[in-house]
């Protein structure tokens, strides 16, 4: 933001920078699951109280967790109950198409409009001649 620093006082420019960062962070935390990262200390604290390995802890708490004595504490762990803030429901239309076999078109064997019978041979000596059947 060097253009702001030239026009505004340095204190105000710094405050504006931090205000924009704060607003951006508030927006990201409110509209995404990034706010769940703030629950990481609870995760670490709960793991320290747990008697077992890290993989056992994760499997017990995140894989079909059943109600137990510390159910309320378990519900405060990150990504157990993520907030549903921006849910978009999109349904694609059902596409169906059918390829139809093209109808066979047969050209009839009619006689041509042009008939060579009954014409004189005078046209053979000229440059422009009527079309001929092969």
């Amino acid at each position: 933001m060097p253009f702001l620093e030239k026009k505004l006082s340095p204190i105000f420019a710094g405050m504006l920078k931090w205000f924009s960062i704060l607003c951006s962070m508030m927006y990201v935390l409110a509209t995404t699951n990034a706010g769940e990262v703030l629950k990481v200390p609870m995760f670490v604290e709960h793991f320290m109280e747990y008697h077992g390995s890290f993989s056992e802890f994760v499997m017990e708490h995140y894989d079909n967790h059943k109600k137990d004595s510390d159910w309320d504490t378990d519900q405060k762990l990150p990504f157990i109950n993520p907030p549903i803030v921006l849910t978009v429901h999109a349904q694609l239309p059902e596409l169906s198409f059918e390829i139809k076999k093209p109808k066979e078109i047969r050209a009839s064997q009619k006689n041509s409009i042009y008939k060579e019978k009954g014409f004189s041979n005078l046209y053979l000596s000229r440059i422009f001649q009527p079309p001929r059947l092969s």
Side-chain angles (χ1 to χ4, degrees):
M1 294 197 290
F3 67 94
L4 284 177
E5 291 175 1
K6 291 178 184 176
K7 294 181 181 180
L8 304 172
S9 70
I11 296 172
F12 185 71
M15 287 174 49
L16 185 63
K17 175 182 172 184
W18 285 107
F19 181 73
S20 63
I21 291 172
L22 177 69
C23 289
S24 300
M25 290 301 297
M26 286 174 51
Y27 176 76
V28 167
L29 291 174
T31 58
T32 64
N33 287 341
E36 294 292 307
V37 175
L38 299 175
K39 297 180 182 179
V40 169
M42 174 62 78
F43 179 85
V44 172
E45 181 182 327
H46 195 57
F47 173 65
M48 296 303 243
E49 295 170 359
Y50 183 74
H51 302 290
S53 68
F54 180 75
S55 61
E56 291 172 354
F57 175 78
V58 171
M59 290 297 288
E60 181 180 327
H61 289 87
Y62 289 94
D63 186 29
N64 296 327
H65 186 52
K66 307 284 189 270
K67 269 195 169 183
D68 55 359
S69 60
D70 63 344
W71 177 256
D72 293 332
T73 309
D74 294 343
Q75 294 305 305
K76 294 177 185 175
L77 292 174
F79 301 105
I80 291 283
N81 297 316
I84 302 171
V85 285
L86 289 179
T87 303
V88 177
H89 178 72
Q91 183 175 2
L92 295 176
E94 191 173 311
L95 298 176
S96 63
F97 61 93
E98 183 179 324
I99 300 175
K100 295 181 179 179
K101 186 176 179 182
K103 295 180 181 178
E104 189 173 318
I105 301 173
R106 294 184 182 206
S108 61
Q109 296 289 357
K110 294 181 181 177
N111 291 336
S112 167
I113 297 173
Y114 175 73
K115 296 180 183 178
E116 288 192 36
K117 297 178 184 176
F119 288 101
S120 67
N121 294 6
L122 294 176
Y123 69 86
L124 294 175
S125 63
R126 297 185 184 151
I127 294 177
F128 299 106
Q129 299 178 2
R132 297 182 192 161
L133 293 175
S134 46

